[in-house]
Amino acid sequence: MRYASITERLADLGSGKWAVHIEARAMVARGVPVIELTIGEPDIAPDPALLAECIRAMQAGRTRYSNGRGEPAVVKALVGKYRKRRADVTERNILCFPGTQTALFAVMLALVEQGDGVLVGDPYYATYEGVIASTGAHMTPVPLRPEHGFRLQAQDLAAAITPQSRVVLLNSPHNPTGAVLTEADIATIGEVCRKHDLWIVCDEVYEELIFGKPFASPFDNPDLAERAIAVSSISKSHAAPGFRSGWAAGPEEFCSRLLPVSETMLFGVQPFIADMTAMAVSQPFETSTIMRANYTRRAALVCVILGDNGPLRPFMPEGGMFIVVDVSATGLSGAEFATTLLRDKQVAVMPGSSFGVQAENLIRISLTVADDKLEIAASRMADLAEERVAAKDKQLWAS
Ligand SMILES: Cc1ncc(COP(=O)(O)O)c(C=O)c1O
């Protein structure tokens, strides 16, 4: 039978990136006590009030069809959220989706197609490649450099632009590096985008998980209002990834062109989830405060255990739920280190190669386990690194 080319474009972008995670899960199923630091799943529950609201809404009959834009209450709540950031936002700037991932997929489908290019900072979140490839467009990686705190530099962006470039896909706070763009970064990146008439799509799913620095977004910059689109969800902010509740905020014309795309894909998001999301977005909850405290403390703990002078080089994140570590001094790539760590020390981390060429020498550690477990896992990483360095030295002496 014949298949459409999308199945080939996406064929290598699925489970390959998650091979270590899948192997770890198989080991756990065999009874091996693996410490799993692979995926970014919040380790606390959503606030009980949100669960209660969801159940109340279901029992009150909020189980019927919705509409393509989103239930009025959640759209209103999102207008309230974004109006705090930009005064001219109305419901015509908002569309609801089941999570950031779907929002990204639909947004890309509305902006690019075969022959177009999407510029993405490398390292990048593992699914971006597939989201872009599914439209037929190609991804142009732009290096994110450790010496700039992994923040996209306008000159690197400008150097990567081609006549095919249509969109810059930003992610701040950034997965995997934890980098947070500043207002000044956004202004200079924005200038390049205006000059080359590029859309800016910003994945802001970790907006609430910043460890000190202020949040900045292209969506909030009035000079970029005609080209900036923000996508986000309650997955991380409210520890509610399974609810699949997100949105896109962008220019009015963009949203009205995206609406039929969304209606064709989804025909609306569940009203009971919408009611719960309206509550999540319009009231303060402690969930993100707790996670911020946990993740910043755990990232600092990993930095202390791996140390300044050891072979492993951790990069303290500015936000998000991960920390990346350069393992190159061990003589292993990130993928080799991750595989050896899993098989020899029963600790599962993501190999940097799942996040782009620039991350080949990195591993990504999820901060979503208890401190004591993370401490044990980090000590095992340090042990493996020391063992590798000792083996390398021995080889050098022998030769
Ligand atoms: C950068 C980034 N964007 C999007 C997502 C997916 O978010 P959602 O659950 O809202 O689809 C994730 C999940 O890990 C992520 O790390």
mmCIF file of all heavy atoms in Angstrom, residues 212-245:
data_model
loop_
_atom_site.group_PDB
_atom_site.id
_atom_site.type_symbol
_atom_site.label_atom_id
_atom_site.label_comp_id
_atom_site.label_asym_id
_atom_site.label_seq_id
_atom_site.Cartn_x
_atom_site.Cartn_y
_atom_site.Cartn_z
ATOM 1 N N GLY A 212 14.607 33.229 38.935
ATOM 2 C CA GLY A 212 15.037 34.501 39.509
ATOM 3 C C GLY A 212 14.885 35.646 38.525
ATOM 4 O O GLY A 212 14.291 36.673 38.822
ATOM 5 N N LYS A 213 15.379 35.440 37.361
ATOM 6 C CA LYS A 213 15.369 36.440 36.298
ATOM 7 C C LYS A 213 13.929 36.751 35.820
ATOM 8 O O LYS A 213 13.067 35.874 35.912
ATOM 9 C CB LYS A 213 16.118 35.702 35.194
ATOM 10 C CG LYS A 213 16.731 36.429 34.136
ATOM 11 C CD LYS A 213 17.606 35.445 33.334
ATOM 12 C CE LYS A 213 17.809 36.058 31.989
ATOM 13 N NZ LYS A 213 18.777 35.339 31.170
ATOM 14 N N PRO A 214 13.666 37.975 35.319
ATOM 15 C CA PRO A 214 12.308 38.219 34.806
ATOM 16 C C PRO A 214 12.037 37.477 33.498
ATOM 17 O O PRO A 214 12.961 37.226 32.729
ATOM 18 C CB PRO A 214 12.275 39.735 34.577
ATOM 19 C CG PRO A 214 13.679 40.184 34.561
ATOM 20 C CD PRO A 214 14.526 39.158 35.249
ATOM 21 N N PHE A 215 10.773 37.135 33.271
ATOM 22 C CA PHE A 215 10.372 36.491 32.012
ATOM 23 C C PHE A 215 10.248 37.558 30.938
ATOM 24 O O PHE A 215 9.758 38.652 31.196
ATOM 25 C CB PHE A 215 9.034 35.774 32.213
ATOM 26 C CG PHE A 215 8.447 35.210 30.957
ATOM 27 C CD1 PHE A 215 9.064 34.148 30.316
ATOM 28 C CD2 PHE A 215 7.293 35.758 30.403
ATOM 29 C CE1 PHE A 215 8.539 33.606 29.147
ATOM 30 C CE2 PHE A 215 6.756 35.224 29.236
ATOM 31 C CZ PHE A 215 7.377 34.155 28.611
ATOM 32 N N ALA A 216 10.673 37.267 29.733
ATOM 33 C CA ALA A 216 10.509 38.198 28.604
ATOM 34 C C ALA A 216 10.019 37.406 27.401
ATOM 35 O O ALA A 216 10.391 36.245 27.221
ATOM 36 C CB ALA A 216 11.843 38.867 28.289
ATOM 37 N N SER A 217 9.175 38.046 26.596
ATOM 38 C CA SER A 217 8.588 37.329 25.453
ATOM 39 C C SER A 217 8.476 38.259 24.254
ATOM 40 O O SER A 217 8.121 39.433 24.410
ATOM 41 C CB SER A 217 7.194 36.842 25.854
ATOM 42 O OG SER A 217 6.468 36.463 24.713
ATOM 43 N N PRO A 218 8.674 37.740 23.047
ATOM 44 C CA PRO A 218 8.448 38.558 21.856
ATOM 45 C C PRO A 218 6.988 39.000 21.746
ATOM 46 O O PRO A 218 6.694 40.054 21.195
ATOM 47 C CB PRO A 218 8.822 37.632 20.686
ATOM 48 C CG PRO A 218 9.045 36.282 21.255
ATOM 49 C CD PRO A 218 9.178 36.395 22.726
ATOM 50 N N PHE A 219 6.081 38.193 22.312
ATOM 51 C CA PHE A 219 4.654 38.542 22.267
ATOM 52 C C PHE A 219 4.391 39.866 22.987
ATOM 53 O O PHE A 219 3.479 40.606 22.642
ATOM 54 C CB PHE A 219 3.826 37.418 22.905
ATOM 55 C CG PHE A 219 2.349 37.640 22.781
ATOM 56 C CD1 PHE A 219 1.674 37.269 21.635
ATOM 57 C CD2 PHE A 219 1.640 38.240 23.809
ATOM 58 C CE1 PHE A 219 0.303 37.491 21.507
ATOM 59 C CE2 PHE A 219 0.274 38.466 23.701
ATOM 60 C CZ PHE A 219 -0.397 38.093 22.543
ATOM 61 N N ASP A 220 5.195 40.170 23.982
ATOM 62 C CA ASP A 220 4.975 41.371 24.801
ATOM 63 C C ASP A 220 5.599 42.624 24.187
ATOM 64 O O ASP A 220 5.386 43.725 24.697
ATOM 65 C CB ASP A 220 5.576 41.174 26.203
ATOM 66 C CG ASP A 220 5.034 39.938 26.887
ATOM 67 O OD1 ASP A 220 4.096 39.333 26.348
ATOM 68 O OD2 ASP A 220 5.548 39.572 27.956
ATOM 69 N N ASN A 221 6.400 42.446 23.145
ATOM 70 C CA ASN A 221 7.098 43.582 22.540
ATOM 71 C C ASN A 221 6.203 44.193 21.457
ATOM 72 O O ASN A 221 5.944 43.556 20.426
ATOM 73 C CB ASN A 221 8.424 43.062 21.943
ATOM 74 C CG ASN A 221 9.257 44.152 21.331
ATOM 75 O OD1 ASN A 221 8.723 45.148 20.835
ATOM 76 N ND2 ASN A 221 10.566 43.968 21.352
ATOM 77 N N PRO A 222 5.704 45.434 21.655
ATOM 78 C CA PRO A 222 4.752 46.016 20.699
ATOM 79 C C PRO A 222 5.316 46.100 19.274
ATOM 80 O O PRO A 222 4.564 45.992 18.308
ATOM 81 C CB PRO A 222 4.489 47.428 21.252
ATOM 82 C CG PRO A 222 5.118 47.477 22.593
ATOM 83 C CD PRO A 222 6.045 46.323 22.758
ATOM 84 N N ASP A 223 6.634 46.212 19.152
ATOM 85 C CA ASP A 223 7.233 46.277 17.804
ATOM 86 C C ASP A 223 7.129 44.949 17.063
ATOM 87 O O ASP A 223 7.364 44.883 15.860
ATOM 88 C CB ASP A 223 8.726 46.640 17.900
ATOM 89 C CG ASP A 223 8.918 48.035 18.464
ATOM 90 O OD1 ASP A 223 7.953 48.821 18.397
ATOM 91 O OD2 ASP A 223 10.017 48.314 18.988
ATOM 92 N N LEU A 224 6.836 43.882 17.815
ATOM 93 C CA LEU A 224 6.801 42.549 17.192
ATOM 94 C C LEU A 224 5.371 41.987 17.145
ATOM 95 O O LEU A 224 5.167 40.837 16.747
ATOM 96 C CB LEU A 224 7.715 41.584 17.964
ATOM 97 C CG LEU A 224 9.184 42.022 18.077
ATOM 98 C CD1 LEU A 224 9.968 41.064 18.970
ATOM 99 C CD2 LEU A 224 9.820 42.106 16.688
ATOM 100 N N ALA A 225 4.395 42.832 17.529
ATOM 101 C CA ALA A 225 3.020 42.343 17.702
ATOM 102 C C ALA A 225 2.462 41.702 16.430
ATOM 103 O O ALA A 225 1.674 40.765 16.493
ATOM 104 C CB ALA A 225 2.117 43.466 18.161
ATOM 105 N N GLU A 226 2.872 42.173 15.258
ATOM 106 C CA GLU A 226 2.292 41.632 14.008
ATOM 107 C C GLU A 226 2.915 40.293 13.601
ATOM 108 O O GLU A 226 2.424 39.636 12.687
ATOM 109 C CB GLU A 226 2.497 42.631 12.864
ATOM 110 C CG GLU A 226 3.963 42.907 12.628
ATOM 111 C CD GLU A 226 4.227 43.865 11.476
ATOM 112 O OE1 GLU A 226 3.268 44.344 10.868
ATOM 113 O OE2 GLU A 226 5.410 44.100 11.202
ATOM 114 N N ARG A 227 4.015 39.898 14.270
ATOM 115 C CA ARG A 227 4.705 38.672 13.847
ATOM 116 C C ARG A 227 4.972 37.684 14.991
ATOM 117 O O ARG A 227 5.545 36.625 14.748
ATOM 118 C CB ARG A 227 6.024 39.018 13.168
ATOM 119 C CG ARG A 227 7.085 39.687 14.054
ATOM 120 C CD ARG A 227 8.306 40.144 13.271
ATOM 121 N NE ARG A 227 7.993 41.237 12.377
ATOM 122 C CZ ARG A 227 7.941 41.134 11.053
ATOM 123 N NH1 ARG A 227 8.233 39.995 10.461
ATOM 124 N NH2 ARG A 227 7.612 42.173 10.304
ATOM 125 N N ALA A 228 4.576 38.024 16.223
ATOM 126 C CA ALA A 228 4.911 37.155 17.365
ATOM 127 C C ALA A 228 3.722 36.290 17.791
ATOM 128 O O ALA A 228 2.599 36.781 17.933
ATOM 129 C CB ALA A 228 5.378 37.996 18.546
ATOM 130 N N ILE A 229 4.000 35.015 17.994
ATOM 131 C CA ILE A 229 2.983 34.064 18.437
ATOM 132 C C ILE A 229 3.552 33.339 19.666
ATOM 133 O O ILE A 229 4.672 32.832 19.610
ATOM 134 C CB ILE A 229 2.686 33.028 17.328
ATOM 135 C CG1 ILE A 229 2.137 33.734 16.078
ATOM 136 C CG2 ILE A 229 1.743 31.936 17.814
ATOM 137 C CD1 ILE A 229 2.375 32.973 14.802
ATOM 138 N N ALA A 230 2.775 33.323 20.747
ATOM 139 C CA ALA A 230 3.205 32.589 21.945
ATOM 140 C C ALA A 230 2.373 31.311 22.044
ATOM 141 O O ALA A 230 1.167 31.331 21.792
ATOM 142 C CB ALA A 230 2.998 33.443 23.184
ATOM 143 N N VAL A 231 3.025 30.197 22.372
ATOM 144 C CA VAL A 231 2.285 28.957 22.636
ATOM 145 C C VAL A 231 2.641 28.479 24.042
ATOM 146 O O VAL A 231 3.785 28.615 24.471
ATOM 147 C CB VAL A 231 2.579 27.849 21.594
ATOM 148 C CG1 VAL A 231 1.978 28.175 20.244
ATOM 149 C CG2 VAL A 231 4.068 27.574 21.461
ATOM 150 N N SER A 232 1.631 27.961 24.737
ATOM 151 C CA SER A 232 1.889 27.510 26.103
ATOM 152 C C SER A 232 0.755 26.598 26.575
ATOM 153 O O SER A 232 -0.135 26.259 25.790
ATOM 154 C CB SER A 232 2.058 28.716 27.032
ATOM 155 O OG SER A 232 2.620 28.305 28.257
ATOM 156 N N SER A 233 0.809 26.231 27.844
ATOM 157 C CA SER A 233 -0.191 25.297 28.383
ATOM 158 C C SER A 233 -0.132 25.315 29.909
ATOM 159 O O SER A 233 0.712 25.985 30.504
ATOM 160 C CB SER A 233 0.110 23.883 27.886
ATOM 161 O OG SER A 233 1.222 23.337 28.580
ATOM 162 N N ILE A 234 -1.007 24.500 30.505
ATOM 163 C CA ILE A 234 -0.957 24.332 31.972
ATOM 164 C C ILE A 234 -0.142 23.086 32.351
ATOM 165 O O ILE A 234 -0.076 22.725 33.517
ATOM 166 C CB ILE A 234 -2.366 24.246 32.593
ATOM 167 C CG1 ILE A 234 -3.178 23.081 31.985
ATOM 168 C CG2 ILE A 234 -3.114 25.554 32.441
ATOM 169 C CD1 ILE A 234 -4.414 22.712 32.784
ATOM 170 N N SER A 235 0.480 22.447 31.349
ATOM 171 C CA SER A 235 1.186 21.176 31.623
ATOM 172 C C SER A 235 2.249 21.323 32.697
ATOM 173 O O SER A 235 2.354 20.499 33.604
ATOM 174 C CB SER A 235 1.845 20.649 30.353
ATOM 175 O OG SER A 235 0.892 20.263 29.421
ATOM 176 N N LYS A 236 3.091 22.356 32.581
ATOM 177 C CA LYS A 236 4.199 22.528 33.520
ATOM 178 C C LYS A 236 3.790 23.464 34.656
ATOM 179 O O LYS A 236 4.025 23.172 35.821
ATOM 180 C CB LYS A 236 5.434 23.085 32.804
ATOM 181 C CG LYS A 236 5.757 22.410 31.478
ATOM 182 C CD LYS A 236 6.234 20.977 31.610
ATOM 183 C CE LYS A 236 6.493 20.387 30.222
ATOM 184 N NZ LYS A 236 6.996 19.034 30.253
ATOM 185 N N SER A 237 3.175 24.602 34.296
ATOM 186 C CA SER A 237 2.849 25.621 35.307
ATOM 187 C C SER A 237 1.965 25.063 36.409
ATOM 188 O O SER A 237 2.081 25.455 37.570
ATOM 189 C CB SER A 237 2.134 26.800 34.644
ATOM 190 O OG SER A 237 1.006 26.333 33.931
ATOM 191 N N HIS A 238 1.036 24.164 36.057
ATOM 192 C CA HIS A 238 0.089 23.636 37.033
ATOM 193 C C HIS A 238 0.246 22.129 37.234
ATOM 194 O O HIS A 238 -0.658 21.475 37.759
ATOM 195 C CB HIS A 238 -1.346 23.991 36.616
ATOM 196 C CG HIS A 238 -1.599 25.462 36.638
ATOM 197 N ND1 HIS A 238 -1.175 26.304 35.632
ATOM 198 C CD2 HIS A 238 -2.174 26.260 37.572
ATOM 199 C CE1 HIS A 238 -1.505 27.543 35.932
ATOM 200 N NE2 HIS A 238 -2.105 27.552 37.105
ATOM 201 N N ALA A 239 1.398 21.610 36.810
ATOM 202 C CA ALA A 239 1.691 20.176 36.965
ATOM 203 C C ALA A 239 0.560 19.322 36.412
ATOM 204 O O ALA A 239 0.129 18.355 37.043
ATOM 205 C CB ALA A 239 1.968 19.852 38.441
ATOM 206 N N ALA A 240 0.074 19.681 35.229
ATOM 207 C CA ALA A 240 -1.117 19.011 34.696
ATOM 208 C C ALA A 240 -0.931 18.579 33.234
ATOM 209 O O ALA A 240 -1.775 18.892 32.388
ATOM 210 C CB ALA A 240 -2.315 19.953 34.829
ATOM 211 N N PRO A 241 0.145 17.835 32.919
ATOM 212 C CA PRO A 241 0.382 17.504 31.504
ATOM 213 C C PRO A 241 -0.680 16.576 30.912
ATOM 214 O O PRO A 241 -0.989 16.671 29.729
ATOM 215 C CB PRO A 241 1.769 16.833 31.509
ATOM 216 C CG PRO A 241 1.976 16.355 32.901
ATOM 217 C CD PRO A 241 1.220 17.310 33.781
ATOM 218 N N GLY A 242 -1.267 15.711 31.753
ATOM 219 C CA GLY A 242 -2.241 14.758 31.228
ATOM 220 C C GLY A 242 -3.571 15.396 30.853
ATOM 221 O O GLY A 242 -4.385 14.780 30.176
ATOM 222 N N PHE A 243 -3.797 16.628 31.288
ATOM 223 C CA PHE A 243 -5.059 17.290 30.943
ATOM 224 C C PHE A 243 -5.063 17.777 29.500
ATOM 225 O O PHE A 243 -6.106 18.034 28.939
ATOM 226 C CB PHE A 243 -5.341 18.454 31.900
ATOM 227 C CG PHE A 243 -5.795 17.981 33.242
ATOM 228 C CD1 PHE A 243 -4.877 17.580 34.198
ATOM 229 C CD2 PHE A 243 -7.140 17.893 33.533
ATOM 230 C CE1 PHE A 243 -5.298 17.113 35.431
ATOM 231 C CE2 PHE A 243 -7.570 17.427 34.763
ATOM 232 C CZ PHE A 243 -6.636 17.022 35.723
ATOM 233 N N ARG A 244 -3.866 17.894 28.911
ATOM 234 C CA ARG A 244 -3.721 18.348 27.530
ATOM 235 C C ARG A 244 -4.493 19.656 27.326
ATOM 236 O O ARG A 244 -5.491 19.700 26.613
ATOM 237 C CB ARG A 244 -4.175 17.279 26.506
ATOM 238 C CG ARG A 244 -3.651 15.877 26.717
ATOM 239 C CD ARG A 244 -2.134 15.820 26.882
ATOM 240 N NE ARG A 244 -1.378 16.340 25.777
ATOM 241 C CZ ARG A 244 -0.348 17.201 25.936
ATOM 242 N NH1 ARG A 244 0.021 17.605 27.144
ATOM 243 N NH2 ARG A 244 0.320 17.621 24.909
ATOM 244 N N SER A 245 -4.029 20.693 27.946
ATOM 245 C CA SER A 245 -4.718 21.978 27.811
ATOM 246 C C SER A 245 -3.725 23.104 27.567
ATOM 247 O O SER A 245 -2.945 23.451 28.454
ATOM 248 C CB SER A 245 -5.541 22.262 29.078
ATOM 249 O OG SER A 245 -6.337 23.405 28.870
#
